[in-house]
Amino acid sequence: MKIGFLTPEFPYPEMGVSGGIGTSIYNLAQGLLCLGHQVSVIVYGQKTDEVVVKEGITFYKVKNIKFKGFSRFLTQKKIQRLINSLVKEGEIDLIEAPDWTGITANIKPNCPVVIRLNGSDTYFCHLDQRPVKFSNRIQEQKALRMADGLVSVSRYTAEVTKELFRLNCSFEIIPNSIDVAKFVKNPNIPVQENTILYFGTLIRKKGLLELPHIFNEVIQKRPEARLILIGRDAADVVSGNHSTWNMMLPMFEPEALKQVSYLGSVSYTDIARHINEAAVCVFPTFAEALPVSWIEAMAMEKAIVASAIGWAEEVIDNTKNGFLVSPTEHEQYADCIIQLLQDVALRETFGTNARNKVIQKFSIEVVAQQSVDFYQRLLLKR
């Protein structure tokens, strides 16, 4: 099978900044290649039009058309021409795109279109309780209604999306995945006791404005605890502040702040080392679809304290391979962290159970095969 992906991002430096969508496509693409399928990726929003082959994937970089008031529409038609030429040449049997901003709304390819829900702008604005841009909502709704097949990375995201867009359709539930072989605990890197790690973007929707209050509670009972933060700092869409980190700083009590280290963005190798060294990983987020960072930490046998919201129960089984707590329950959240810092045996049990779940449910081999089965059913139906 020849599968094409249409995306605004991909995790190669030469293709610009990439987030969760790019990572999820990369992991799925690797799984599809391992199963013997052909993968093409169309990345729009690029500086030039270019064809590149890398890691067995053919990339079609698309430069957006600039024309006031019509840039998006004209770019969509440019993408449509490219897809249809690849279909005609026998290079693509099916195209998959994310729900984010509804890029396929004005694209009519000569092949089936799958939309995979990693969280639309409408979805995240709903979870953030802030208004969505009207044009984004309309485009996302149109793209979903036009699609031949719909996949969601979590049942929660599917149900919320159906309600928000008033859709009368079914979604295939296929989670995000990781290459389990790349996320393995290194026994030669000792755990730094009392170390708490957060990795991901520093942004309100991921609970970063709750984390200082949680850590203040931890320090009161465990003054030797340390908090390490890794990830890109982001502007705050609610207040307009250019830095979430700067907003966090005054929220820490003086004694707590002495025990905090913000390392900014680091290389994958360094992130892996910090995950290895951490005693506990924390993810107090409010808005996700199905977070890859949680799965990565679980694969490396880390005990996790995460949010008890919607999608979380589809990743973590509370008290079996992690703790799920509301991010606004600062004292309760802190108590779960402290329990794991104190109980090495419990951390190890959670870690072992977590990796086993990742292997069974979130490995690229499992998820790629589920995707292929869905694609094949769609093509037969078409």
Side-chain angles (χ1 to χ4, degrees), residues 35-82:
L35 293 175
H37 301 283
Q38 180 177 311
V39 176
S40 302
V41 178
I42 299 169
V43 191
Y44 58 94
Q46 298 296 295
K47 295 178 180 178
T48 59
D49 293 315
E50 188 179 1
V51 181
V52 179
V53 178
K54 192 170 182 178
E55 291 190 84
I57 302 171
T58 303
F59 293 91
Y60 299 88
K61 299 168 70 174
V62 175
K63 183 179 180 180
N64 289 9
I65 295 174
K66 302 294 184 182
F67 194 93
K68 189 174 181 180
F70 295 93
S71 296
R72 182 179 173 87
F73 179 80
L74 293 173
T75 299
Q76 287 170 318
K77 290 305 174 184
K78 179 179 180 179
I79 293 168
Q80 177 180 301
R81 291 191 295 272
L82 173 59

mmCIF file of all heavy atoms in Angstrom, residues 35-82:
data_model
loop_
_atom_site.group_PDB
_atom_site.id
_atom_site.type_symbol
_atom_site.label_atom_id
_atom_site.label_comp_id
_atom_site.label_asym_id
_atom_site.label_seq_id
_atom_site.Cartn_x
_atom_site.Cartn_y
_atom_site.Cartn_z
ATOM 1 N N LEU A 35 6.411 -2.490 7.998
ATOM 2 C CA LEU A 35 5.443 -3.473 7.500
ATOM 3 C C LEU A 35 5.505 -3.629 5.977
ATOM 4 O O LEU A 35 4.729 -4.388 5.402
ATOM 5 C CB LEU A 35 4.027 -3.070 7.923
ATOM 6 C CG LEU A 35 3.717 -3.135 9.424
ATOM 7 C CD1 LEU A 35 2.314 -2.595 9.700
ATOM 8 C CD2 LEU A 35 3.850 -4.562 9.954
ATOM 9 N N GLY A 36 6.402 -2.862 5.336
ATOM 10 C CA GLY A 36 6.601 -3.014 3.901
ATOM 11 C C GLY A 36 5.781 -2.087 3.029
ATOM 12 O O GLY A 36 5.691 -2.285 1.811
ATOM 13 N N HIS A 37 5.182 -1.059 3.621
ATOM 14 C CA HIS A 37 4.372 -0.125 2.848
ATOM 15 C C HIS A 37 5.199 1.096 2.439
ATOM 16 O O HIS A 37 6.225 1.408 3.058
ATOM 17 C CB HIS A 37 3.148 0.301 3.656
ATOM 18 C CG HIS A 37 2.272 -0.841 4.050
ATOM 19 N ND1 HIS A 37 1.412 -1.458 3.167
ATOM 20 C CD2 HIS A 37 2.155 -1.525 5.222
ATOM 21 C CE1 HIS A 37 0.786 -2.451 3.773
ATOM 22 N NE2 HIS A 37 1.220 -2.512 5.034
ATOM 23 N N GLN A 38 4.750 1.794 1.417
ATOM 24 C CA GLN A 38 5.429 2.991 0.920
ATOM 25 C C GLN A 38 4.816 4.222 1.558
ATOM 26 O O GLN A 38 3.589 4.322 1.684
ATOM 27 C CB GLN A 38 5.298 3.077 -0.606
ATOM 28 C CG GLN A 38 5.975 4.291 -1.230
ATOM 29 C CD GLN A 38 5.873 4.288 -2.746
ATOM 30 O OE1 GLN A 38 6.161 3.271 -3.385
ATOM 31 N NE2 GLN A 38 5.458 5.403 -3.329
ATOM 32 N N VAL A 39 5.663 5.168 1.961
ATOM 33 C CA VAL A 39 5.187 6.362 2.640
ATOM 34 C C VAL A 39 5.695 7.614 1.937
ATOM 35 O O VAL A 39 6.881 7.739 1.644
ATOM 36 C CB VAL A 39 5.639 6.389 4.119
ATOM 37 C CG1 VAL A 39 5.214 7.697 4.789
ATOM 38 C CG2 VAL A 39 5.077 5.192 4.883
ATOM 39 N N SER A 40 4.761 8.545 1.675
ATOM 40 C CA SER A 40 5.100 9.875 1.175
ATOM 41 C C SER A 40 4.542 10.899 2.155
ATOM 42 O O SER A 40 3.488 10.682 2.745
ATOM 43 C CB SER A 40 4.483 10.107 -0.213
ATOM 44 O OG SER A 40 4.920 9.130 -1.138
ATOM 45 N N VAL A 41 5.249 12.002 2.322
ATOM 46 C CA VAL A 41 4.801 13.050 3.237
ATOM 47 C C VAL A 41 4.831 14.385 2.509
ATOM 48 O O VAL A 41 5.865 14.803 1.990
ATOM 49 C CB VAL A 41 5.688 13.116 4.499
ATOM 50 C CG1 VAL A 41 5.215 14.242 5.412
ATOM 51 C CG2 VAL A 41 5.668 11.785 5.250
ATOM 52 N N ILE A 42 3.673 15.050 2.480
ATOM 53 C CA ILE A 42 3.557 16.392 1.906
ATOM 54 C C ILE A 42 3.536 17.386 3.066
ATOM 55 O O ILE A 42 2.632 17.359 3.894
ATOM 56 C CB ILE A 42 2.277 16.519 1.069
ATOM 57 C CG1 ILE A 42 2.296 15.516 -0.090
ATOM 58 C CG2 ILE A 42 2.114 17.945 0.542
ATOM 59 C CD1 ILE A 42 0.964 15.380 -0.805
ATOM 60 N N VAL A 43 4.560 18.227 3.119
ATOM 61 C CA VAL A 43 4.697 19.190 4.218
ATOM 62 C C VAL A 43 4.516 20.592 3.652
ATOM 63 O O VAL A 43 5.354 21.067 2.889
ATOM 64 C CB VAL A 43 6.063 19.075 4.914
ATOM 65 C CG1 VAL A 43 6.070 19.890 6.191
ATOM 66 C CG2 VAL A 43 6.415 17.625 5.208
ATOM 67 N N TYR A 44 3.416 21.240 4.019
ATOM 68 C CA TYR A 44 3.174 22.590 3.514
ATOM 69 C C TYR A 44 3.738 23.627 4.487
ATOM 70 O O TYR A 44 4.200 23.296 5.582
ATOM 71 C CB TYR A 44 1.687 22.828 3.230
ATOM 72 C CG TYR A 44 0.742 22.641 4.391
ATOM 73 C CD1 TYR A 44 0.353 23.716 5.186
ATOM 74 C CD2 TYR A 44 0.210 21.384 4.685
ATOM 75 C CE1 TYR A 44 -0.522 23.557 6.240
ATOM 76 C CE2 TYR A 44 -0.673 21.210 5.743
ATOM 77 C CZ TYR A 44 -1.037 22.289 6.517
ATOM 78 O OH TYR A 44 -1.905 22.126 7.565
ATOM 79 N N GLY A 45 3.748 24.877 4.053
ATOM 80 C CA GLY A 45 4.329 25.947 4.873
ATOM 81 C C GLY A 45 5.841 25.977 4.833
ATOM 82 O O GLY A 45 6.476 26.493 5.754
ATOM 83 N N GLN A 46 6.429 25.447 3.737
ATOM 84 C CA GLN A 46 7.882 25.381 3.630
ATOM 85 C C GLN A 46 8.445 26.590 2.878
ATOM 86 O O GLN A 46 7.703 27.342 2.241
ATOM 87 C CB GLN A 46 8.289 24.088 2.922
ATOM 88 C CG GLN A 46 7.872 22.823 3.669
ATOM 89 C CD GLN A 46 8.561 22.692 5.016
ATOM 90 O OE1 GLN A 46 9.777 22.543 5.101
ATOM 91 N NE2 GLN A 46 7.782 22.772 6.080
ATOM 92 N N LYS A 47 9.747 26.775 2.960
ATOM 93 C CA LYS A 47 10.389 27.924 2.322
ATOM 94 C C LYS A 47 10.512 27.754 0.813
ATOM 95 O O LYS A 47 10.570 28.728 0.067
ATOM 96 C CB LYS A 47 11.780 28.145 2.932
ATOM 97 C CG LYS A 47 11.747 28.542 4.404
ATOM 98 C CD LYS A 47 13.154 28.706 4.965
ATOM 99 C CE LYS A 47 13.102 29.098 6.431
ATOM 100 N NZ LYS A 47 14.471 29.218 7.018
ATOM 101 N N THR A 48 10.579 26.488 0.362
ATOM 102 C CA THR A 48 10.728 26.204 -1.065
ATOM 103 C C THR A 48 9.901 24.981 -1.439
ATOM 104 O O THR A 48 9.522 24.181 -0.571
ATOM 105 C CB THR A 48 12.204 25.913 -1.434
ATOM 106 O OG1 THR A 48 12.664 24.779 -0.667
ATOM 107 C CG2 THR A 48 13.096 27.108 -1.156
ATOM 108 N N ASP A 49 9.625 24.836 -2.729
ATOM 109 C CA ASP A 49 9.057 23.597 -3.256
ATOM 110 C C ASP A 49 10.223 22.669 -3.567
ATOM 111 O O ASP A 49 11.134 23.027 -4.323
ATOM 112 C CB ASP A 49 8.263 23.875 -4.534
ATOM 113 C CG ASP A 49 7.013 24.696 -4.277
ATOM 114 O OD1 ASP A 49 6.296 24.388 -3.316
ATOM 115 O OD2 ASP A 49 6.762 25.646 -5.031
ATOM 116 N N GLU A 50 10.184 21.486 -2.978
ATOM 117 C CA GLU A 50 11.335 20.581 -3.111
ATOM 118 C C GLU A 50 10.899 19.152 -2.831
ATOM 119 O O GLU A 50 9.983 18.904 -2.046
ATOM 120 C CB GLU A 50 12.417 21.006 -2.116
ATOM 121 C CG GLU A 50 13.742 20.291 -2.253
ATOM 122 C CD GLU A 50 14.759 20.801 -1.234
ATOM 123 O OE1 GLU A 50 14.426 21.688 -0.420
ATOM 124 O OE2 GLU A 50 15.894 20.280 -1.259
ATOM 125 N N VAL A 51 11.563 18.207 -3.496
ATOM 126 C CA VAL A 51 11.342 16.783 -3.232
ATOM 127 C C VAL A 51 12.607 16.231 -2.585
ATOM 128 O O VAL A 51 13.708 16.383 -3.119
ATOM 129 C CB VAL A 51 11.019 16.004 -4.521
ATOM 130 C CG1 VAL A 51 10.779 14.523 -4.204
ATOM 131 C CG2 VAL A 51 9.794 16.589 -5.208
ATOM 132 N N VAL A 52 12.441 15.599 -1.428
ATOM 133 C CA VAL A 52 13.572 15.064 -0.664
ATOM 134 C C VAL A 52 13.251 13.636 -0.233
ATOM 135 O O VAL A 52 12.120 13.339 0.163
ATOM 136 C CB VAL A 52 13.847 15.923 0.593
ATOM 137 C CG1 VAL A 52 15.004 15.349 1.403
ATOM 138 C CG2 VAL A 52 14.107 17.373 0.219
ATOM 139 N N VAL A 53 14.239 12.760 -0.309
ATOM 140 C CA VAL A 53 14.075 11.387 0.194
ATOM 141 C C VAL A 53 14.963 11.228 1.419
ATOM 142 O O VAL A 53 16.166 11.505 1.365
ATOM 143 C CB VAL A 53 14.450 10.343 -0.871
ATOM 144 C CG1 VAL A 53 14.314 8.926 -0.301
ATOM 145 C CG2 VAL A 53 13.571 10.498 -2.104
ATOM 146 N N LYS A 54 14.370 10.796 2.509
ATOM 147 C CA LYS A 54 15.114 10.652 3.763
ATOM 148 C C LYS A 54 14.510 9.524 4.583
ATOM 149 O O LYS A 54 13.289 9.440 4.719
ATOM 150 C CB LYS A 54 15.063 11.977 4.547
ATOM 151 C CG LYS A 54 16.024 12.066 5.715
ATOM 152 C CD LYS A 54 16.070 13.487 6.253
ATOM 153 C CE LYS A 54 17.058 13.610 7.406
ATOM 154 N NZ LYS A 54 17.147 14.996 7.909
ATOM 155 N N GLU A 55 15.346 8.638 5.107
ATOM 156 C CA GLU A 55 14.907 7.510 5.933
ATOM 157 C C GLU A 55 13.832 6.676 5.239
ATOM 158 O O GLU A 55 12.904 6.180 5.868
ATOM 159 C CB GLU A 55 14.395 7.985 7.298
ATOM 160 C CG GLU A 55 15.468 8.534 8.206
ATOM 161 C CD GLU A 55 14.957 8.751 9.628
ATOM 162 O OE1 GLU A 55 14.958 7.772 10.415
ATOM 163 O OE2 GLU A 55 14.561 9.883 9.944
ATOM 164 N N GLY A 56 13.939 6.553 3.923
ATOM 165 C CA GLY A 56 12.994 5.725 3.178
ATOM 166 C C GLY A 56 11.668 6.404 2.872
ATOM 167 O O GLY A 56 10.767 5.788 2.299
ATOM 168 N N ILE A 57 11.524 7.674 3.237
ATOM 169 C CA ILE A 57 10.293 8.437 3.009
ATOM 170 C C ILE A 57 10.555 9.511 1.955
ATOM 171 O O ILE A 57 11.583 10.185 1.985
ATOM 172 C CB ILE A 57 9.817 9.113 4.314
ATOM 173 C CG1 ILE A 57 9.582 8.075 5.410
ATOM 174 C CG2 ILE A 57 8.549 9.925 4.064
ATOM 175 C CD1 ILE A 57 9.320 8.685 6.774
ATOM 176 N N THR A 58 9.609 9.665 1.023
ATOM 177 C CA THR A 58 9.707 10.742 0.041
ATOM 178 C C THR A 58 8.922 11.947 0.554
ATOM 179 O O THR A 58 7.725 11.838 0.841
ATOM 180 C CB THR A 58 9.151 10.312 -1.327
ATOM 181 O OG1 THR A 58 9.847 9.152 -1.785
ATOM 182 C CG2 THR A 58 9.319 11.428 -2.351
ATOM 183 N N PHE A 59 9.601 13.077 0.676
ATOM 184 C CA PHE A 59 8.985 14.307 1.176
ATOM 185 C C PHE A 59 8.751 15.270 0.021
ATOM 186 O O PHE A 59 9.644 15.499 -0.799
ATOM 187 C CB PHE A 59 9.891 14.978 2.217
ATOM 188 C CG PHE A 59 10.040 14.198 3.485
ATOM 189 C CD1 PHE A 59 11.068 13.276 3.639
ATOM 190 C CD2 PHE A 59 9.145 14.377 4.533
ATOM 191 C CE1 PHE A 59 11.207 12.541 4.808
ATOM 192 C CE2 PHE A 59 9.274 13.648 5.701
ATOM 193 C CZ PHE A 59 10.303 12.731 5.843
ATOM 194 N N TYR A 60 7.560 15.844 -0.007
ATOM 195 C CA TYR A 60 7.218 16.879 -0.965
ATOM 196 C C TYR A 60 7.000 18.165 -0.172
ATOM 197 O O TYR A 60 5.971 18.341 0.479
ATOM 198 C CB TYR A 60 5.965 16.494 -1.749
ATOM 199 C CG TYR A 60 6.127 15.221 -2.554
ATOM 200 C CD1 TYR A 60 5.858 13.981 -1.987
ATOM 201 C CD2 TYR A 60 6.585 15.264 -3.871
ATOM 202 C CE1 TYR A 60 6.030 12.812 -2.709
ATOM 203 C CE2 TYR A 60 6.759 14.097 -4.602
ATOM 204 C CZ TYR A 60 6.486 12.870 -4.003
ATOM 205 O OH TYR A 60 6.661 11.707 -4.733
ATOM 206 N N LYS A 61 7.997 19.030 -0.189
ATOM 207 C CA LYS A 61 7.914 20.294 0.533
ATOM 208 C C LYS A 61 7.148 21.302 -0.325
ATOM 209 O O LYS A 61 7.459 21.480 -1.512
ATOM 210 C CB LYS A 61 9.322 20.807 0.869
ATOM 211 C CG LYS A 61 10.107 19.850 1.763
ATOM 212 C CD LYS A 61 11.577 20.219 1.862
ATOM 213 C CE LYS A 61 11.792 21.489 2.652
ATOM 214 N NZ LYS A 61 13.248 21.755 2.860
ATOM 215 N N VAL A 62 6.150 21.944 0.277
ATOM 216 C CA VAL A 62 5.272 22.851 -0.456
ATOM 217 C C VAL A 62 5.386 24.253 0.121
ATOM 218 O O VAL A 62 5.173 24.462 1.324
ATOM 219 C CB VAL A 62 3.801 22.376 -0.386
ATOM 220 C CG1 VAL A 62 2.882 23.393 -1.061
ATOM 221 C CG2 VAL A 62 3.647 20.998 -1.014
ATOM 222 N N LYS A 63 5.722 25.198 -0.739
ATOM 223 C CA LYS A 63 5.753 26.598 -0.337
ATOM 224 C C LYS A 63 4.351 27.181 -0.481
ATOM 225 O O LYS A 63 3.724 27.082 -1.541
ATOM 226 C CB LYS A 63 6.738 27.377 -1.208
ATOM 227 C CG LYS A 63 6.895 28.842 -0.805
ATOM 228 C CD LYS A 63 7.916 29.544 -1.697
ATOM 229 C CE LYS A 63 8.051 31.012 -1.280
ATOM 230 N NZ LYS A 63 9.049 31.724 -2.134
ATOM 231 N N ASN A 64 3.837 27.779 0.593
ATOM 232 C CA ASN A 64 2.500 28.359 0.546
ATOM 233 C C ASN A 64 2.451 29.525 -0.442
ATOM 234 O O ASN A 64 3.428 30.278 -0.593
ATOM 235 C CB ASN A 64 2.081 28.855 1.925
ATOM 236 C CG ASN A 64 1.789 27.714 2.890
ATOM 237 O OD1 ASN A 64 2.060 26.549 2.587
ATOM 238 N ND2 ASN A 64 1.258 28.046 4.046
ATOM 239 N N ILE A 65 1.307 29.671 -1.095
ATOM 240 C CA ILE A 65 1.096 30.797 -2.004
ATOM 241 C C ILE A 65 0.681 32.027 -1.192
ATOM 242 O O ILE A 65 -0.196 31.939 -0.329
ATOM 243 C CB ILE A 65 0.015 30.457 -3.047
ATOM 244 C CG1 ILE A 65 0.510 29.301 -3.943
ATOM 245 C CG2 ILE A 65 -0.333 31.674 -3.899
ATOM 246 C CD1 ILE A 65 -0.536 28.789 -4.909
ATOM 247 N N LYS A 66 1.308 33.153 -1.472
ATOM 248 C CA LYS A 66 0.997 34.394 -0.767
ATOM 249 C C LYS A 66 0.159 35.301 -1.684
ATOM 250 O O LYS A 66 0.634 35.760 -2.721
ATOM 251 C CB LYS A 66 2.283 35.122 -0.355
ATOM 252 C CG LYS A 66 3.214 34.306 0.542
ATOM 253 C CD LYS A 66 2.594 34.038 1.908
ATOM 254 C CE LYS A 66 3.564 33.307 2.828
ATOM 255 N NZ LYS A 66 2.959 32.990 4.133
ATOM 256 N N PHE A 67 -1.099 35.494 -1.309
ATOM 257 C CA PHE A 67 -1.981 36.390 -2.063
ATOM 258 C C PHE A 67 -3.064 36.849 -1.094
ATOM 259 O O PHE A 67 -3.875 36.048 -0.644
ATOM 260 C CB PHE A 67 -2.603 35.666 -3.264
ATOM 261 C CG PHE A 67 -3.245 36.577 -4.263
ATOM 262 C CD1 PHE A 67 -2.532 37.037 -5.350
ATOM 263 C CD2 PHE A 67 -4.557 36.980 -4.107
ATOM 264 C CE1 PHE A 67 -3.121 37.893 -6.276
ATOM 265 C CE2 PHE A 67 -5.153 37.834 -5.012
ATOM 266 C CZ PHE A 67 -4.435 38.300 -6.106
ATOM 267 N N LYS A 68 -3.046 38.113 -0.754
ATOM 268 C CA LYS A 68 -3.882 38.640 0.325
ATOM 269 C C LYS A 68 -5.348 38.208 0.183
ATOM 270 O O LYS A 68 -5.989 38.439 -0.826
ATOM 271 C CB LYS A 68 -3.791 40.166 0.350
ATOM 272 C CG LYS A 68 -4.469 40.777 1.579
ATOM 273 C CD LYS A 68 -4.244 42.278 1.654
ATOM 274 C CE LYS A 68 -4.903 42.860 2.901
ATOM 275 N NZ LYS A 68 -4.689 44.331 2.999
ATOM 276 N N GLY A 69 -5.819 37.565 1.252
ATOM 277 C CA GLY A 69 -7.206 37.131 1.298
ATOM 278 C C GLY A 69 -7.470 35.775 0.676
ATOM 279 O O GLY A 69 -8.535 35.185 0.902
ATOM 280 N N PHE A 70 -6.521 35.272 -0.119
ATOM 281 C CA PHE A 70 -6.745 34.002 -0.822
ATOM 282 C C PHE A 70 -5.592 33.012 -0.628
ATOM 283 O O PHE A 70 -5.553 31.980 -1.287
ATOM 284 C CB PHE A 70 -6.942 34.251 -2.327
ATOM 285 C CG PHE A 70 -8.175 35.040 -2.645
ATOM 286 C CD1 PHE A 70 -8.111 36.427 -2.763
ATOM 287 C CD2 PHE A 70 -9.395 34.414 -2.810
ATOM 288 C CE1 PHE A 70 -9.246 37.164 -3.049
ATOM 289 C CE2 PHE A 70 -10.539 35.134 -3.095
ATOM 290 C CZ PHE A 70 -10.466 36.522 -3.213
ATOM 291 N N SER A 71 -4.643 33.336 0.273
ATOM 292 C CA SER A 71 -3.443 32.501 0.422
ATOM 293 C C SER A 71 -3.787 31.064 0.771
ATOM 294 O O SER A 71 -3.266 30.115 0.151
ATOM 295 C CB SER A 71 -2.529 33.100 1.497
ATOM 296 O OG SER A 71 -2.052 34.361 1.114
ATOM 297 N N ARG A 72 -4.643 30.868 1.750
ATOM 298 C CA ARG A 72 -4.976 29.506 2.185
ATOM 299 C C ARG A 72 -5.677 28.730 1.072
ATOM 300 O O ARG A 72 -5.317 27.587 0.790
ATOM 301 C CB ARG A 72 -5.849 29.551 3.440
ATOM 302 C CG ARG A 72 -6.209 28.166 3.981
ATOM 303 C CD ARG A 72 -7.055 28.265 5.235
ATOM 304 N NE ARG A 72 -7.536 26.967 5.677
ATOM 305 C CZ ARG A 72 -6.879 26.135 6.464
ATOM 306 N NH1 ARG A 72 -5.670 26.452 6.890
ATOM 307 N NH2 ARG A 72 -7.404 24.975 6.818
ATOM 308 N N PHE A 73 -6.663 29.348 0.448
ATOM 309 C CA PHE A 73 -7.409 28.663 -0.611
ATOM 310 C C PHE A 73 -6.489 28.284 -1.766
ATOM 311 O O PHE A 73 -6.538 27.146 -2.270
ATOM 312 C CB PHE A 73 -8.543 29.556 -1.111
ATOM 313 C CG PHE A 73 -9.339 28.944 -2.224
ATOM 314 C CD1 PHE A 73 -10.321 27.995 -1.971
ATOM 315 C CD2 PHE A 73 -9.100 29.313 -3.545
ATOM 316 C CE1 PHE A 73 -11.045 27.414 -3.001
ATOM 317 C CE2 PHE A 73 -9.826 28.745 -4.593
ATOM 318 C CZ PHE A 73 -10.806 27.800 -4.311
ATOM 319 N N LEU A 74 -5.648 29.204 -2.194
ATOM 320 C CA LEU A 74 -4.748 28.927 -3.311
ATOM 321 C C LEU A 74 -3.719 27.854 -2.953
ATOM 322 O O LEU A 74 -3.358 27.016 -3.793
ATOM 323 C CB LEU A 74 -4.047 30.216 -3.756
ATOM 324 C CG LEU A 74 -4.969 31.275 -4.386
ATOM 325 C CD1 LEU A 74 -4.199 32.568 -4.634
ATOM 326 C CD2 LEU A 74 -5.588 30.755 -5.682
ATOM 327 N N THR A 75 -3.264 27.862 -1.690
ATOM 328 C CA THR A 75 -2.333 26.823 -1.246
ATOM 329 C C THR A 75 -3.018 25.460 -1.222
ATOM 330 O O THR A 75 -2.425 24.446 -1.614
ATOM 331 C CB THR A 75 -1.766 27.168 0.146
ATOM 332 O OG1 THR A 75 -1.058 28.412 0.082
ATOM 333 C CG2 THR A 75 -0.813 26.075 0.634
ATOM 334 N N GLN A 76 -4.264 25.437 -0.781
ATOM 335 C CA GLN A 76 -5.019 24.179 -0.783
ATOM 336 C C GLN A 76 -5.153 23.622 -2.202
ATOM 337 O O GLN A 76 -5.009 22.406 -2.418
ATOM 338 C CB GLN A 76 -6.396 24.395 -0.159
ATOM 339 C CG GLN A 76 -6.359 24.577 1.357
ATOM 340 C CD GLN A 76 -7.688 25.019 1.929
ATOM 341 O OE1 GLN A 76 -8.371 25.872 1.361
ATOM 342 N NE2 GLN A 76 -8.079 24.424 3.052
ATOM 343 N N LYS A 77 -5.411 24.485 -3.166
ATOM 344 C CA LYS A 77 -5.548 24.022 -4.553
ATOM 345 C C LYS A 77 -4.203 23.559 -5.113
ATOM 346 O O LYS A 77 -4.138 22.621 -5.916
ATOM 347 C CB LYS A 77 -6.144 25.139 -5.418
ATOM 348 C CG LYS A 77 -7.611 25.423 -5.099
ATOM 349 C CD LYS A 77 -8.449 24.147 -5.200
ATOM 350 C CE LYS A 77 -9.873 24.316 -4.756
ATOM 351 N NZ LYS A 77 -10.628 23.037 -4.790
ATOM 352 N N LYS A 78 -3.129 24.200 -4.665
ATOM 353 C CA LYS A 78 -1.789 23.760 -5.069
ATOM 354 C C LYS A 78 -1.509 22.355 -4.522
ATOM 355 O O LYS A 78 -0.986 21.486 -5.236
ATOM 356 C CB LYS A 78 -0.744 24.747 -4.552
ATOM 357 C CG LYS A 78 0.695 24.390 -4.896
ATOM 358 C CD LYS A 78 1.662 25.455 -4.360
ATOM 359 C CE LYS A 78 3.106 25.116 -4.696
ATOM 360 N NZ LYS A 78 4.052 26.149 -4.203
ATOM 361 N N ILE A 79 -1.884 22.136 -3.269
ATOM 362 C CA ILE A 79 -1.725 20.810 -2.661
ATOM 363 C C ILE A 79 -2.589 19.788 -3.384
ATOM 364 O O ILE A 79 -2.159 18.644 -3.631
ATOM 365 C CB ILE A 79 -2.083 20.869 -1.163
ATOM 366 C CG1 ILE A 79 -1.061 21.715 -0.398
ATOM 367 C CG2 ILE A 79 -2.153 19.459 -0.564
ATOM 368 C CD1 ILE A 79 -1.479 22.062 1.022
ATOM 369 N N GLN A 80 -3.815 20.175 -3.741
ATOM 370 C CA GLN A 80 -4.708 19.267 -4.463
ATOM 371 C C GLN A 80 -4.087 18.808 -5.779
ATOM 372 O O GLN A 80 -4.130 17.616 -6.122
ATOM 373 C CB GLN A 80 -6.042 19.967 -4.740
ATOM 374 C CG GLN A 80 -7.028 19.127 -5.547
ATOM 375 C CD GLN A 80 -8.330 19.865 -5.784
ATOM 376 O OE1 GLN A 80 -8.990 20.239 -4.830
ATOM 377 N NE2 GLN A 80 -8.698 20.076 -7.052
ATOM 378 N N ARG A 81 -3.508 19.737 -6.528
ATOM 379 C CA ARG A 81 -2.867 19.374 -7.801
ATOM 380 C C ARG A 81 -1.718 18.402 -7.574
ATOM 381 O O ARG A 81 -1.535 17.437 -8.344
ATOM 382 C CB ARG A 81 -2.380 20.632 -8.527
ATOM 383 C CG ARG A 81 -3.499 21.514 -9.057
ATOM 384 C CD ARG A 81 -2.959 22.586 -9.996
ATOM 385 N NE ARG A 81 -2.082 23.528 -9.318
ATOM 386 C CZ ARG A 81 -2.494 24.632 -8.701
ATOM 387 N NH1 ARG A 81 -3.797 24.923 -8.650
ATOM 388 N NH2 ARG A 81 -1.624 25.455 -8.132
ATOM 389 N N LEU A 82 -0.929 18.639 -6.527
ATOM 390 C CA LEU A 82 0.199 17.749 -6.227
ATOM 391 C C LEU A 82 -0.298 16.357 -5.872
ATOM 392 O O LEU A 82 0.221 15.352 -6.387
ATOM 393 C CB LEU A 82 1.027 18.337 -5.082
ATOM 394 C CG LEU A 82 2.148 17.455 -4.524
ATOM 395 C CD1 LEU A 82 3.153 17.081 -5.614
ATOM 396 C CD2 LEU A 82 2.853 18.143 -3.354
#
